Amino acid sequence: MLDERMAKTLHSDRHRRLAELLTEKRKLAGLTQAAVAKALGRHQPFIANIENADRRVDLIEFLDLAKVVGFDPYEVLHQIEAIDPLRISSHWPGNSGTHLQAVGYLRPAADAQGCGDF
C-alpha cells in the first residue's frame, strides 16, 4: 500500500492547459460562457471558474462540455496527457515505475504516447 497521496492537480501545468483548451474550444465554437452554462443548467461563474483553472472538472462534466461546445474529448485528452506524463517519485518500488508497470498501473514508456485504452 502506498502511503503517499497523489499530487494535487489544481493549478498544475496539465490543469492549466485543460482550462486553456476548454476556453479555446468554446471561443472557436462562437459560444459565450453564459451560453455554455445555460446549456449545462449552470450559471456563468461555473464556466468562468473552470476556464480560470479555479475549479476542477470531473469526467462527466468534461464529457458534457465536449458535447455542448462540440469538441472531441479524446483530442483534448491526448493533448493533456502529452504535457506531463505520470512521474513516479523516487521512494516508490524500483524508483522508475517498473513495479507499477508490472502490476498494470502504468503502461511501458514505449506505449505511453497515446490514450489508446480510452
Side-chain angles (χ1 to χ4, degrees):
M1 182 172 171
L2 301 174
D3 52 348
E4 290 293 319
R5 295 179 182 203
M6 284 181 65
K8 293 187 181 195
T9 58
L10 193 62
H11 305 297
S12 68
D13 289 342
R14 289 198 294 184
H15 183 252
R16 281 190 292 272
R17 182 62 182 142
L18 175 60
E20 290 170 1
L21 285 168
L22 293 174
T23 303
E24 289 172 19
K25 299 295 184 183
R26 176 185 59 76
K27 289 180 177 180
L28 283 172
L31 298 169
T32 64
Q33 289 180 346
V36 173
K38 184 175 182 179
L40 295 171
R42 306 300 290 252
H43 296 285
Q44 179 272 332
F46 174 80
I47 302 301
N49 287 335
I50 290 171
E51 291 184 1
N52 291 329
D54 290 331
R55 183 185 187 288
R56 287 185 186 90
V57 179
D58 72 29
L59 179 61
I60 304 306
E61 292 168 340
F62 175 72
L63 293 173
D64 289 346
L65 282 165
K67 185 174 183 177
V68 167
V69 174
F71 65 84
D72 179 357
Y74 299 103
E75 174 200 333
V76 172
L77 287 176
H78 284 292
Q79 291 183 46
I80 298 304
E81 183 184 42
I83 291 171
D84 185 20
L86 187 60
R87 293 186 184 135
I88 303 303
S89 60
S90 61
H91 66 277
W92 286 18
N95 294 340
S96 66
T98 307
H99 171 74
L100 293 178
Q101 288 173 356
V103 296
Y105 287 109
L106 288 180
R107 289 177 284 168
D111 243 16
Q113 291 187 352
C115 292
D117 296 340
F118 286 99

